[in-house]
Amino acid sequence: MANIQVNKKQVNTLETQLSTQKKINKPSEDPVIAIRALRLRSSLEQVTQYLNKNIPDADSWLKTTEGAVDEAVSVITDLYAYCEQGATDSYSPSERSTLAESLNKLRDAYYAEGDVEYAGRYLFSGYMTDTPLTYQSDETAAKADFTITQEFTRENIELKTVYTNAYSNDDILNLNVKTDAATGNVITPNVADVHRVRIGYTKVSDAGTFEIKLNDGTTIAAAAVNDSNYQPGDDEAAFNAATGEILLGENVYKQLYASDGFSFTYRKDNFAKGDLNPVMYYDCVDNNPDNAGVVYTKKTEDIEYNINFSQKLKVNTEANEVFNMYLGRDIDDLITSVNNVIDIEAQLEKVEGMLKQDIYSDKDSQSKLNSIKEGLTKQNELAKEEMKNRFEYCVGTMQGYQEQASLAKADAGNRMTRLNLTKSRLTEQKTNFTNLKSENEDIDLEEVVVGYSAAQLVYNASLTAASKVIQQTLLDFL
């Protein structure tokens, strides 16, 4: 009877295996297989998570980023073409009149690529994935109010061309001829170079006091000015809030150049639609009553995805890695230089018209107007030369911006390559884990069928043998 029970149990076990296609039905049947199954299933679930969710999401993020950077590079290429043509002074007066609008549109298109989003997340905003790079409406921009601190090095100091003895519209209307105060001789407009440092924005607040703070703790006061052609004294620093420029006298320039860095703090509370959000670039303090006192410290903000066991991949690219704040400032300078030529040509046309009017037909007026015309002609030549030089300068800077964006694109491409390699390894791992799981849990159907047939035969034989023993009674032995 004991043998029958053993055989019956074996048959039941094999029947269960055939119906479930599994080696065990509960852990107690074989703890080793059960523990190994738990580990393999856990590993397979993680690999499946990486392959089906994390990696596709990271891949889409990187591809969208790469597409946006591609568009940014294309815009810079167009800007470079404009600068190259402008460097040869080949724009006609009619073309100059539309050039400013074209440059502005390209600048807006460049920064608009920084507002690209994927699955409801802005890609270039660091951890602030719910915040676009630029202000999307005038209403949103109007609420922005920041105190901004920018860090500078000697590399940020550059030369600016300013005009001396330049004629204004008031000078023309009043027939005010530029003369030397000492000799009374007529003097013509000229140019001079001034050292400057451009901050990130124009039209910032001019309220309060300003100072340049060197990294060694030294401070230099900067007086507020509003003359775009202002020339500071040798020991003077000035700040033009409208143009966003720190102007340096010769001795101040030498002091800053010899330092290991300096900073400047200013306030901007008149943002407009399309302006860049400063927290993406600089250290800021929020002055908005709803967020008053909130400090934003600019630092690296890497968004990483788990793409394999103990392996992470950075998926985001930050705005300052691609969209250079100073491309917009360079466009501002280009537009200013172009508009300056247009304005002077309009002044010349006005003077030529005045020379033909009866009201200015007297000898004195004619003499003054001719002197002004001569001065404006020289001023126009200087302005055209400055415009040409500015375009030449921007040919180099656009190449730099293009290289910066291309490096960001290459970096995203390298990460995509790593992602694809990891995907290939995980696909192989998934196959291996699936096979190991099957080998550990699933039965060998052929082997079990043979075993089941043998066990069935043994069980039937034991029943037959037992039945023959049971058929004999006590009478058979009398």
Side-chain angles (χ1 to χ4, degrees):
M1 293 299 291
N3 288 336
I4 291 175
Q5 291 299 322
V6 170
N7 293 336
K8 178 61 175 174
K9 184 177 180 180
Q10 180 66 13
V11 170
N12 289 340
T13 299
L14 293 172
E15 281 181 345
T16 301
Q17 289 181 348
L18 283 171
S19 61
T20 62
Q21 301 288 303
K22 300 295 181 183
K23 291 179 181 179
I24 61 174
N25 196 36
K26 50 188 177 180
S28 59
E29 292 177 5
D30 193 327
V32 173
I33 290 178
I35 292 172
R36 190 182 296 124
L38 289 173
R39 291 175 179 170
L40 290 172
R41 287 183 182 184
S42 176
S43 297
L44 188 57
E45 285 175 2
Q46 290 183 63
V47 169
T48 302
Q49 166 78 19
Y50 297 142
L51 276 174
N52 294 348
K53 296 183 180 180
N54 295 23
I55 287 181
D57 196 17
D59 185 62
S60 296
W61 186 306
L62 288 169
K63 283 180 178 177
T64 307
T65 297
E66 191 175 40
V69 177
D70 260 337
E71 289 299 321
V73 171
S74 177
V75 172
I76 298 172
T77 301
D78 291 341
L79 286 169
Y80 176 83
Y82 274 106
C83 294
E84 212 171 27
Q85 184 176 349
T88 61
D89 193 24
S90 58
Y91 285 115
S92 65
S94 60
E95 287 175 325
R96 289 191 198 115
S97 63
T98 60
L99 184 58
E101 183 181 356
S102 299
L103 292 173
N104 267 324
K105 285 183 177 179
L106 285 172
R107 173 178 54 188
D108 293 343
Y110 171 72
Y111 289 122
E113 291 302 323
D115 295 326
V116 168
E117 58 179 309
Y118 163 69
R121 296 169 293 181
Y122 291 100
L123 302 186
F124 297 98
S125 302
Y127 296 152
M128 301 172 66
T129 55
D130 60 342
T131 306
L133 175 62
T134 66
Y135 292 107
Q136 302 297 292
S137 67
D138 288 327
E139 182 182 0
T140 304
K143 297 177 182 177
D145 182 355
F146 292 98
T147 298
I148 304 167
T149 299
Q150 277 189 244
E151 300 289 337
F152 300 99
T153 67
R154 68 183 62 164
E155 305 300 327
N156 298 113
I157 305 174
E158 56 189 14
L159 286 175
K160 173 191 179 182
T161 298
V162 297
Y163 295 91
T164 60
N165 306 313
Y167 283 98
S168 66
N169 288 328
D170 286 340
D171 290 329
I172 296 170
L173 291 174
N174 297 320
L175 303 184
N176 181 26
V177 179
K178 302 289 182 180
T179 58
D180 184 274
T183 64
N185 295 330
V186 175
I187 53 177
T188 56
N190 211 334
V191 292
D193 288 332
V194 173
H195 295 288
R196 72 168 180 178
V197 176
R198 292 181 297 174
I199 61 173
Y201 295 91
T202 59
K203 301 176 183 177
V204 301
S205 173
D206 60 359
T209 58
F210 302 95
E211 62 180 20
I212 304 166
K213 186 174 182 180
L214 279 66
N215 288 352
D216 63 6
T218 305
T219 58
I220 301 172
V225 298
N226 55 20
D227 180 3
S228 60
N229 290 310
Y230 185 78
Q231 291 179 265
D234 288 347
D235 297 314
E236 182 188 2
F239 177 58
N240 190 324
T243 60
E245 296 172 315
I246 308 167
L247 306 172
L248 310 174
E250 188 63 27
N251 293 333
V252 176
Y253 157 70
K254 291 177 180 178
Q255 183 180 359
L256 293 183
Y257 192 84
S259 72
D260 62 350
F262 55 96
S263 63
F264 189 79
T265 300
Y266 57 94
R267 180 174 181 174
K268 185 168 177 64
D269 55 3
N270 59 345
F271 290 92
K273 178 183 177 181
D275 282 348
L276 296 172
N277 190 329
V279 302
M280 307 295 177
Y281 293 88
Y282 309 121
D283 293 343
C284 303
V285 178
D286 200 332
N287 301 317
N288 185 293
D290 295 335
N291 304 307
V294 175
V295 177
Y296 298 90
T297 302
K298 181 55 188 169
K299 57 184 179 181
T300 302
E301 297 178 346
D302 292 344
I303 298 176
E304 297 180 322
Y305 274 36
N306 290 315
I307 59 169
N308 202 348
F309 300 100
S310 302
Q311 183 180 352
K312 294 181 179 180
L313 180 72
K314 175 187 172 184
V315 296
N316 70 312
T317 300
E318 294 185 62
N320 60 338
E321 297 178 65
V322 183
F323 303 100
N324 197 300
M325 171 75 78
Y326 283 92
L327 181 142
R329 292 304 317 268
D330 284 341
I331 297 300
D332 288 338
D333 284 348
L334 283 176
I335 292 173
T336 298
S337 65
V338 170
N339 286 338
N340 194 30
V341 171
I342 293 173
D343 291 343
I344 294 172
E345 288 177 344
Q347 288 176 324
L348 271 169
E349 187 176 345
K350 181 176 180 65
V351 170
E352 288 172 353
M354 291 170 68
L355 282 167
K356 299 175 183 178
Q357 295 177 16
D358 292 340
I359 192 173
Y360 302 110
S361 61
D362 60 281
K363 185 177 180 181
D364 184 55
S365 296
Q366 288 286 306
S367 175
K368 287 181 179 180
L369 284 171
N370 280 316
S371 295
I372 293 174
K373 180 180 177 182
E374 182 181 349
L376 283 173
T377 301
K378 175 66 179 300
Q379 193 172 327
N380 192 34
E381 292 172 359
L382 294 172
K384 285 183 176 180
E385 184 64 23
E386 163 57 16
M387 179 181 68
K388 179 182 175 183
N389 291 339
R390 181 52 52 182
F391 274 111
E392 286 179 353
Y393 172 81
C394 286
V395 166
T397 60
M398 291 304 159
Q399 287 176 329
Y401 301 140
Q402 193 172 44
E403 181 179 349
Q404 179 183 1
S406 296
L407 286 173
K409 178 185 174 183
D411 181 51
N414 289 336
R415 283 180 273 152
M416 286 180 65
T417 300
R418 285 173 52 200
L419 188 67
N420 289 331
L421 289 173
T422 302
K423 183 179 180 180
S424 297
R425 288 197 300 269
L426 283 172
T427 302
E428 186 178 344
Q429 283 182 323
K430 183 178 181 180
T431 302
N432 292 337
F433 281 132
T434 301
N435 291 337
L436 289 171
K437 177 177 175 292
S438 178
E439 290 174 6
N440 182 62
E441 299 180 21
D442 299 339
I443 62 171
D444 183 335
L445 188 59
E446 182 179 350
E447 182 181 333
V448 173
V449 168
V450 172
Y452 176 74
S453 299
Q456 189 71 45
L457 287 173
V458 172
Y459 176 62
N460 290 335
S462 63
L463 287 177
T464 302
S467 65
K468 290 181 179 180
V469 173
I470 293 172
Q471 286 176 358
Q472 295 176 342
T473 65
L474 184 60
L475 295 174
D476 294 326
F477 297 96
L478 294 178

